[in-house]
Amino acid sequence: MAYGDQPTVKVDDIEIPLLGFGTWQLEPDDARRMVAEALRIGYRHIDTAWIYKNEKAVGEGIRDSGVPREDIFLTTKIWVEHFAHDALLKQAKESAESLGTTPDLLLLHWPKTTPSFAETLGALNEAKAQGLTRSIGLSNFPSKEFRQAQALSEARLVTNQVEHHPYLGVDLLVQTAEELGSSITAWSPLAQGKIVDDATISELAKAHGKTNGQVTLRWLIQHGIIAIPRTTKESRARENFDIFDFELSSEEMQRMDALNRGERLGDWLDPAFSWDAPQA
Ligand SMILES: NC(=O)c1ccc[n+]([C@@H]2O[C@H](COP(=O)([O-])OP(=O)(O)OC[C@H]3O[C@@H](n4cnc5c(N)ncnc54)[C@H](OP(=O)(O)O)[C@@H]3O)[C@@H](O)[C@H]2O)c1
């Protein structure tokens, strides 16, 4: 892997660029165009999922970009209906075929009560052993289930991709990831665009000659959190990538941290599980 001088997180021998490009809700044409554009701008980390119905387009965008495949970190996810052993392996093969390349990271999209974690984690490890992905991980697992899953997994679960932005803190998940030798990836890092109207973020943005989006993404990566913003616009993809030439002070980081109000924008957690209690 050659990511230039971009900051990364290292989990075991897996190096993940801290800034990625998300593709949820991108129709295939937009996904292909924007993935190619994002890679040309300099992004080296792309996030998709089977359920986004754009894996084929994401693969095409990667090839259109001209960026060598080995210089890109590519994530996709196993949908919840495919958590039984055979179904998981079948989807892992299908995703690799649609992408036209083996993903670097394969995540379980949301935790489920059935089949058992043991069956699903066993199958996910088999997918890795069969070369259907380079590494494995989770998405939307509360801390308790994150620990249970790791205890059942032979291979390290290299990330837990969860909703995280200035209005939703995830302190306990960050601590859990640290204890498990894993990492946290923030989905909806821009709170789906809500950060543009925030007075505190606007003030910090003005002080640095940056935009609200740039300050928010900078805050995340400065905390060592992987962020995967999404946009349909080339100008915004460029804007969101331009965050490596400034730094927030510790006081500014604390002001960003203080915006947490426990606001969740997307909640599809199985009612059998509970999110971590809000941190004091
Ligand atoms: N694992 C999961 O369950 C899960 C769930 C949700 C999302 N995700 C992943 O996380 C990625 C990002 O999350 P997301 O797409 O929900 O939300 P997001 O990245 O927080 O926000 C995307 C929205 O913000 C706008 N935007 C982009 N850059 C901006 C900027 N600099 N200033 C102001 N607005 C900006 C975009 O509009 P324009 O398109 O008009 O620019 C879009 O409407 C997804 O694409 C997906 O890959 C994962």
Side-chain angles (χ1 to χ4, degrees):
M1 293 274 177
Y3 304 133
D5 52 7
Q6 261 179 71
T8 59
V9 155
K10 209 161 177 213
V11 178
D12 298 335
D13 60 338
I14 305 293
E15 203 163 355
I16 310 174
L18 275 169
L19 185 65
F21 186 82
T23 65
W24 180 42
Q25 291 181 327
L26 294 189
E27 295 293 329
D29 284 355
D30 279 338
R32 179 173 183 165
R33 174 180 61 86
M34 286 309 302
V35 164
E37 188 57 33
L39 291 168
R40 285 188 200 115
I41 288 168
Y43 291 82
R44 288 294 177 267
H45 174 174
I46 305 290
D47 181 81
T48 184
W50 182 91
I51 199 66
Y52 300 170
K53 298 184 170 60
N54 60 18
E55 284 175 316
K56 185 166 176 281
V58 165
E60 287 163 346
I62 288 175
R63 288 185 290 283
D64 290 348
S65 74
V67 173
R69 170 66 187 94
E70 61 271 23
D71 293 352
I72 301 165
F73 189 87
L74 175 62
T75 301
T76 193
K77 311 181 192 92
I78 299 283
W79 186 237
V80 296
E81 284 159 15
H82 309 149
F83 275 16
H85 176 271
D86 294 358
L88 189 149
L89 289 167
K90 184 165 173 272
Q91 195 224 291
K93 284 194 193 98
E94 187 188 316
S95 286
E97 270 165 30
S98 301
L99 291 163
T101 182
T102 303
D104 296 282
L105 179 56
L106 189 59
L107 308 178
L108 300 178
H109 210 140
W110 286 86
K112 269 190 66 174
T113 49
T114 51
S116 68
F117 277 14
E119 174 172 343
T120 304
L121 268 303
L124 191 65
N125 275 269
E126 262 182 71
K128 179 177 171 339
Q130 288 182 20
L132 296 169
T133 182
R134 213 172 131 229
S135 61
I136 57 175
L138 306 173
S139 181
N140 300 302
F141 275 56
S143 289
K144 183 175 152 213
E145 287 73 22
F146 190 2
R147 283 182 195 283
Q148 287 171 349
Q150 183 59 77
L152 291 163
S153 178
E154 199 179 313
R156 177 96 61 194
L157 299 168
V158 305
T159 205
N160 186 5
Q161 184 183 122
V162 296
E163 180 178 345
H164 179 35
H165 43 70
Y167 310 125
L168 181 64
V170 290
D171 286 0
L172 186 58
L173 276 164
V174 169
Q175 197 187 315
T176 306
E178 265 172 31
E179 286 172 25
L180 296 176
S182 185
S183 67
I184 293 293
T185 301
W187 63 253
S188 294
L190 301 170
Q192 296 172 4
K194 284 190 172 196
I195 47 88
V196 291
D197 300 319
D198 191 288
T200 302
I201 303 177
S202 296
E203 200 185 303
L204 299 181
K206 199 166 170 224
H208 287 277
K210 290 285 179 182
T211 66
N212 288 28
Q214 290 168 329
V215 165
T216 303
L217 295 170
R218 180 74 210 180
W219 164 71
L220 286 166
I221 69 160
Q222 248 179 257
H223 270 313
I225 304 285
I226 301 157
I228 49 170
R230 178 244 325 183
T231 177
T232 49
K233 300 181 178 70
E234 294 177 14
S235 60
R236 272 190 173 155
R238 210 168 279 285
E239 172 188 333
N240 293 343
F241 190 73
D242 186 16
I243 59 168
F244 303 120
D245 63 350
F246 76 112
E247 203 169 333
L248 298 172
S249 68
S250 55
E251 189 250 331
E252 290 171 326
M253 291 291 283
Q254 279 165 22
R255 287 187 67 190
M256 291 293 294
D257 295 343
L259 297 175
N260 177 22
R261 54 189 187 218
E263 184 180 343
R264 205 172 278 286
L265 302 173
D267 192 353
W268 299 280
L269 188 68
D270 187 303
F273 306 118
S274 311
W275 293 115
D276 294 356
Q279 300 287 287

